[in-house]
Amino acid sequence: MPITVTAPEGVLTSAGEREILPRLSAALIEASGATGNAFFTAIVGGTVHILPPRHIYAGGANRPVVMVELKLPNIGLGSLEARKTFITAAAGIVAELCVSGHRPENTWINIVNAPDGGWGIGDRQYTGEALIAATAAAH
């Protein structure tokens, strides 16, 4: 389940650049109720993109926005409460890992869902039911 972090250079601390993805991954696993599940943990990953500040925009103007995008199968974080738990945790993680003065309104978090059967690992297509079965089997 890919997590993509995009941030302007100099907004995340150097430690933040290293720590943000492992911490966001742990927050997703916890919010999903899958802590300790080997299958689920193995399919959470992502990338951190640090861009020149001049390449980040919001409202049509250059702005130091840190964007966290989470792509999930349609069964991921299936309730409003689970999504709220992840968003709250992610916002806190970004706040802790940014330089002083980063404003909360400059942290954007969004969750994108793939349709059922629109999730694949290698050449294997997973439906929501198949992902649930694989996760349950890993307990």
Side-chain angles (χ1 to χ4, degrees), residues 36-134:
N37 185 287
F39 175 79
F40 194 91
T41 299
I43 63 172
V44 175
T47 55
V48 177
H49 303 270
I50 306 298
L51 300 177
R54 69 183 184 278
H55 291 188
I56 307 281
Y57 286 82
N62 189 246
R63 199 164 117 199
V65 176
V66 174
M67 298 177 204
V68 175
E69 182 175 85
L70 175 58
K71 294 179 184 138
L72 296 173
N74 63 341
I75 59 157
L77 297 177
S79 70
L80 285 174
E81 188 59 35
R83 291 188 291 275
K84 179 182 180 190
T85 297
F86 176 76
I87 289 169
T88 300
I93 290 165
V94 171
E96 289 175 29
L97 299 177
C98 281
V99 296
S100 178
H102 180 73
R103 297 173 19 182
E105 63 268 22
N106 286 330
T107 297
W108 295 4
I109 301 152
N110 66 68
I111 300 168
V112 179
N113 289 119
D116 195 34
W119 202 258
I121 300 172
D123 65 350
R124 180 165 181 193
Q125 175 198 36
Y126 282 91
T127 62
E129 189 175 291
L131 281 167
I132 290 169

